[in-house]
Each structure stands twice: as structure tokens, then as C-alpha cells.
Amino acid sequence: MGERKKYINEIHKFTICVPVPHNPLMPIRAGAVAPLLVIMLTAAARAQEMPAPAPTLTDAYRLFYNARYEEAAGLAMALRATAGQDLENDEVRTSALLFQLRGLLNGQDARDDDSKTEKSEALKRCGRCAEVMAAFMDDLHHGQALARSKLKAKPTDEEALFFLGKLDLNYVWLELGLLGHKTGWDEYWEGRKSLDAVLKQNPNHVRARVARGWIDYIVNTRMPWGTRWILGGGNKKRGIASVREATTMEADAWTRAEAEFALWDLNVREKNFGDATVLAQKLGRQFPENREVARFLARRVH
């Protein structure tokens, strides 16, 4: 759109310079039209020659929310060549790799009645899972170390606190949700503490509110009662309420998308298909390439 507008403005600028005949009813002579045509063609060629803008992390978000997880992870990696490997890059890439891994495992979290053998066999049958998981762990450890070093220098660093909590949540979700391993306690406590610190400083931090809601939900739904009690109980109702509240708060487009996708996922898990369908219809309009949303709507809307 920007190139088109520039092209139109270029034409307009030169159009007003064309001599107007003394008699307004007299047609413009060919000698006056020819230079205008040359200018128009030159402007069009110049617009076509303009290089496309360099991709940014915003493009990785766009790919992620359109369920193009492998491409999002690949772009995040490519951007490190020029923009470096910072906390946001690590978080975007680990999130994309987590969802890519979920897709490789047929888009399902581990079930409570899965045996250890069944889970191991599913991973063995997955040709690319080991590669994706190794990449996830590399980025996870890089991001955790970077956030911890920042917090050592400044314990109240809101960005470092949030990204440490979000990276820990990604790991907890990998182990508890996707693989069904009852592990990740250290990351759980660290993530919970970090996100609580963010929300204490800034109650309007939408992403921290969403991540904190997920932690409550995971502990309540993926841990046995005894372990739940040790980890602080968890509370799926509180977790869902936290995420729902986040969707009503003021935020940028990508943060709002994260909150709405989280609430949609939670409603699907809870079999609240009416609310899930309303959210999916909205998300489908925003992200028409998202095949996961499209498949859900195809099953629910007739």
C-alpha cells in the first residue's frame, strides 16, 4: 500500500505541472501528454525496483499466529544474524518449536492414561522430534541464562522477569503437557515467582497475566493431587479467569492475539465449545491462514 500511495502521489505531483491550454474546452495536445506518460512509467518502474522491507520479529509473530510454527522458528533463527539473540527472540523461537513439536506428535498433549512405553514409542516414531527438542533446549537454556544474568544485575528488571517466567512456562508445558513427565518443579517455582513479581510491579502486564493463568491451569490439570498440593494447589478456574480478564485489557495486536488464542485453547480443553467457537471465528478473521482454527470451525460450524 505504501508503494502504491507513493506512486499515485508521484503522478499527481507531475500532473499539475502539465501546461493547461488557454481554452479549457480544448483537448490537451499530444506534446503535453507524452512527457506525462514517460513520468508515469518511470514512477511505476521505480516503485517496482524498491526492495522489500527486511523481515523483523513481527513477521515471526505473524507466522506463529497463523500456525506456521516451523517457519516462525526458522525466521527467528535467521534474524539472529543481524539483530542478535535476545530474550524476546528466544521466547518466540521456543514457543514456535514447542508448537511445532506438538504438531509432530499429532497435535495432542500426553493423556493421563498414556503409559511410559506409549509416550516413548511416540517419540521414537517421530523422525524430527529429537532435532526439534534439542533446538528448544538450546534456546531455553540461552534465554534462561541471559535473563538470570540481567536479574543478578537488576532484580526488578521487568522484561527479564517476564521472559524468564515465560521461558520456564514453555519448559513446564513441554514436560507436563506435551510429554506427560512429572518434572520441571524448579522451573515451575522460578517461573511462578518471576511472573508474580512482574504482576506485583505492573498489574496491567497482559502477557504475564496470561502466562500466570496457564501455570495455575497446568498444575491443576496435569499434576496428581498430592503433587498439586506441594506446588501450591493450582486452580484452573482462577487460571481461566486470569486469561479471560487479560483478553479485555488494553494491549497491542500481538499481545491481544496471545491472550485470545490462550482463552480459545482453554475453552477447547474444558469443552466449552460455544465460547471457543465465538473466539475461533474472531481469530479466523484475523489470521485466515491458521489451519488449526479453520479445522476447528469446520467441525463446529455447519
Side-chain angles (χ1 to χ4, degrees):
M1 288 296 293
E3 293 179 3
R4 181 181 177 187
K5 185 176 180 181
K6 182 177 178 182
Y7 167 67
I8 293 171
N9 288 340
E10 193 83 5
I11 294 173
H12 177 71
K13 180 174 67 176
F14 286 105
T15 301
I16 61 176
C17 296
V18 176
V20 178
H22 176 70
N23 182 353
L25 298 177
M26 184 182 298
I28 299 175
R29 297 187 303 275
V33 174
L36 177 60
L37 291 175
V38 172
I39 291 167
M40 291 170 63
L41 292 171
T42 302
R46 191 179 301 165
Q48 290 179 348
E49 292 172 2
M50 290 179 65
T56 66
L57 210 55
T58 297
D59 297 297
Y61 281 116
R62 184 176 294 107
L63 289 167
F64 179 84
Y65 289 117
N66 276 296
R68 295 164 62 181
Y69 305 121
E70 184 172 2
E71 293 171 69
L75 178 56
M77 172 64 82
L79 289 171
R80 293 173 183 174
T82 54
Q85 186 176 358
D86 60 13
L87 286 171
E88 187 175 16
N89 186 293
D90 279 329
E91 190 275 320
V92 171
R93 184 164 154 80
T94 54
S95 296
L97 290 167
L98 180 63
F99 276 79
Q100 183 184 350
L101 188 60
R102 186 182 180 187
L104 291 171
L105 293 172
N106 298 320
Q108 292 182 347
D109 289 343
R111 298 184 300 274
D112 290 333
D113 58 353
D114 286 343
S115 69
K116 291 183 179 180
T117 302
E118 287 173 325
K119 293 166 188 171
S120 298
E121 286 300 318
L123 282 173
K124 287 179 183 178
R125 290 193 300 269
C126 174
R128 298 190 58 197
C129 284
E131 171 195 345
V132 174
M133 201 177 306
F136 174 92
M137 297 304 296
D138 284 346
D139 287 348
L140 173 78
H141 292 151
H142 178 274
Q144 287 173 323
L146 180 57
R148 289 166 186 158
S149 68
K150 287 177 177 288
L151 291 170
K152 188 175 182 180
K154 184 182 177 183
T156 59
D157 187 323
E158 185 176 293
E159 180 185 72
L161 283 168
F162 167 70
F163 281 116
L164 180 58
K166 183 60 168 63
L167 287 163
D168 284 340
L169 169 62
N170 283 351
Y171 176 75
V172 170
W173 194 253
L174 169 71
E175 294 293 343
L176 286 180
L178 197 57
L179 303 180
H181 298 159
K182 308 306 182 188
T183 186
W185 290 21
D186 290 342
E187 288 79 5
Y188 162 78
W189 281 117
E190 181 181 58
R192 176 174 169 172
K193 180 181 177 181
S194 295
L195 293 169
D196 284 345
V198 173
L199 291 170
K200 184 176 180 179
Q201 292 178 195
N202 179 8
N204 295 321
H205 196 297
V206 176
R207 297 195 70 193
R209 190 173 293 276
V210 172
R212 187 64 180 84
W214 268 121
I215 283 182
D216 264 333
Y217 187 85
I218 291 169
V219 171
N220 187 226
T221 58
R222 304 305 303 164
M223 284 289 195
W225 183 87
T227 307
R228 266 203 323 266
W229 181 79
I230 294 172
L231 294 177
N235 187 319
K236 72 176 182 179
K237 289 184 178 179
R238 182 175 62 201
I240 294 170
S242 179
V243 175
R244 182 179 292 110
E245 184 180 7
T247 65
T248 69
M249 298 170 70
E250 185 176 349
D252 64 81
W254 302 119
T255 299
R256 182 173 295 280
E258 180 177 43
E260 290 176 345
F261 269 106
L263 186 58
W264 172 58
D265 195 344
L266 288 168
N267 276 302
V268 172
R269 292 172 186 276
E270 292 298 304
K271 295 181 171 52
N272 296 327
F273 294 122
D275 290 345
T277 300
V278 172
L279 280 163
Q281 288 172 328
K282 180 179 180 181
L283 292 168
R285 290 190 293 270
Q286 291 176 267
F287 303 100
E289 296 176 47
N290 191 308
R291 290 167 294 180
E292 294 175 359
V293 172
R295 281 197 296 268
F296 174 82
L297 289 173
R299 293 194 301 267
R300 305 303 308 180
V301 180
H302 302 289

